[in-house]
Amino acid sequence: MQVSEGSDTFEFRSPHGMKAAHSRLRTFAGIAVRHLQHFNHPGRAWHDLSGPQDTLTVVLSEIGGRCEARTNLPRSAALERQRPNHISFVPAEMRVWGYTDNMESVRELRLSFDRKSLGDWFGPDLDLGKAGNPELMFHDKRAVECARLLAAECDASDPSTGLYGEGLTIALLSACFQGRPQKESSGLSVSQLRLVLDFIHEHLDLSVSVFQLARLVDLSSSQFARMFKASTGVSPHRYQLNTRIGKAQELLLMQGESLSMVAVATGFADQSHFTRTFKRVTGATPHEWHQNHKMTCQINQHGAV
């Protein structure tokens, strides 16, 4: 069964008893992130979870019962694994069944990726055992929370910057494939931090990825994200967003700068995206902020006389 949403077409392999499905796709650093919901006819239903790439699926909600991941279609999963919000890692082309019995629908986040790319993302943090072997219906609260946020990002008509989605993707995959817990990082060196910050400031109007920033300082994406936050107190996405808003405020104070120009110069998709984000961060629209700033300046001038 194929599902087409916009330019994306997703195919459920070997489906049985499935009635309909919806799909929303975003891609972060080459990893396809899909928010899927599929609906079933009464009775038993199943499909093959595998694909041409490795697959990680996180069940977000189940209406009408419980779904399972099974290597043997007639054999049910162990009782201790039959809990809500389970996660399954299925290596490429390994047949694993997504199975339901008299269930109305299942909503999930499904990631497809090349296993070799995990090394670029995680470097020495990667647990090769976890990344090389299937694991069905395991549980991790942090991974599920990241999956919920990524699902909302897939559905958003006004998506955030790539750094936000990449950060969530790294956090989700880290929860599933990272080795021993890392000790508290000492952060980036002064020269590394300056190099990264200069790059962010010089490319405010462009889409910058975590992978790009990590390569500047010769770190894996997960190492970089952890060390950047230790150095600045915020994630790369939040730092970029704060910097964009700060630059936008400078431009708003210049005579003749239109909102559309400010939006383009600071990397927002369009004027409406810029306005909504500006208000979410500052609590005021660009126009309201500009008027408040002018009023504050006038009060300060009068007070100084």
Side-chain angles (χ1 to χ4, degrees):
M1 183 175 72
Q2 286 189 341
V3 184
S4 295
E5 299 285 348
S7 60
D8 177 53
T9 299
F10 177 76
E11 183 173 3
F12 287 91
R13 290 183 164 188
S14 304
H16 172 85
M18 298 181 69
K19 180 167 57 176
H22 301 301
S23 171
R24 290 289 187 274
L25 170 70
R26 292 290 305 277
T27 301
F28 300 109
I31 294 181
V33 180
R34 282 187 175 86
H35 185 199
L36 294 169
Q37 185 168 17
H38 38 99
F39 305 87
N40 303 321
H41 294 289
R44 298 191 305 158
W46 60 78
H47 69 281
D48 184 358
L49 290 172
S50 73
Q53 294 183 301
D54 289 353
T55 298
L56 184 77
T57 179
V58 184
V59 174
L60 300 176
S61 66
E62 305 154 285
I63 298 177
R66 289 277 181 271
C67 64
E68 297 182 14
R70 299 180 173 184
T71 53
N72 187 331
L73 191 55
R75 184 179 301 167
S76 62
L79 286 176
E80 64 269 17
R81 292 183 178 265
Q82 295 182 30
R83 294 185 284 141
N85 305 130
H86 58 76
I87 306 166
S88 293
F89 171 57
V90 182
E93 303 298 353
M94 176 182 175
R95 175 157 285 186
V96 173
W97 300 103
Y99 174 88
T100 66
D101 193 351
N102 282 316
M103 179 178 291
E104 180 180 335
S105 71
V106 178
R107 188 168 64 87
E108 62 179 278
L109 190 79
R110 193 174 297 194
L111 281 67
S112 303
F113 51 89
D114 179 356
R115 194 179 313 174
K116 293 180 180 178
S117 67
L118 290 179
D120 295 330
W121 281 74
F122 297 106
D125 293 347
L126 181 64
D127 186 322
L128 295 176
K130 291 181 180 179
N133 299 296
E135 186 173 3
L136 306 185
M137 298 180 68
F138 64 96
H139 299 83
D140 187 285
K141 184 177 179 179
R142 181 164 67 100
V144 173
E145 289 305 311
C146 291
R148 292 193 190 283
L149 293 172
L150 275 170
E153 190 66 9
C154 289
D155 292 347
S157 58
D158 186 14
S160 303
T161 65
L163 283 177
Y164 177 67
E166 286 185 12
L168 289 174
T169 303
I170 289 174
L172 193 163
L173 293 175
S174 293
C176 298
F177 298 114
Q178 187 170 288
R180 294 187 303 274
Q182 300 292 320
K183 295 180 180 179
E184 185 68 24
S185 173
S186 59
L188 300 169
S189 68
V190 173
S191 60
Q192 286 177 321
L193 184 61
R194 176 48 52 199
L195 182 64
V196 170
L197 297 187
D198 285 348
F199 187 89
I200 292 174
H201 282 261
E202 291 167 7
H203 298 84
L204 284 183
D205 58 334
L206 301 178
S207 177
V208 176
S209 71
V210 175
F211 185 68
Q212 277 181 291
L213 298 177
R215 289 194 66 178
L216 288 175
V217 289
D218 197 27
L219 293 170
S220 71
S221 297
S222 63
Q223 287 176 309
F224 169 76
R226 189 170 59 250
M227 295 172 72
F228 184 92
K229 188 167 185 178
S231 296
T232 64
V234 295
S235 66
H237 157 68
R238 189 69 202 190
Y239 184 88
Q240 182 195 55
L241 180 60
N242 290 344
T243 304
R244 283 177 165 174
I245 295 299
K247 180 64 176 180
Q249 290 172 328
E250 292 179 14
L251 294 174
L252 288 171
L253 296 178
M254 298 172 63
Q255 295 296 327
E257 301 293 359
S258 67
L259 287 184
S260 59
M261 189 285 295
V262 173
V264 171
T266 50
F268 292 95
D270 51 39
Q271 180 176 325
S272 61
H273 181 207
F274 165 62
T275 299
R276 286 191 294 272
T277 305
F278 190 97
K279 184 173 183 178
R280 176 165 54 83
V281 174
T282 68
T285 66
H287 177 72
E288 290 168 343
W289 180 87
H290 189 247
Q291 293 301 109
N292 291 339
H293 183 83
K294 286 174 59 177
M295 185 178 301
T296 300
C297 289
Q298 291 172 354
I299 292 172
N300 290 339
Q301 288 173 356
H302 291 152
V305 173

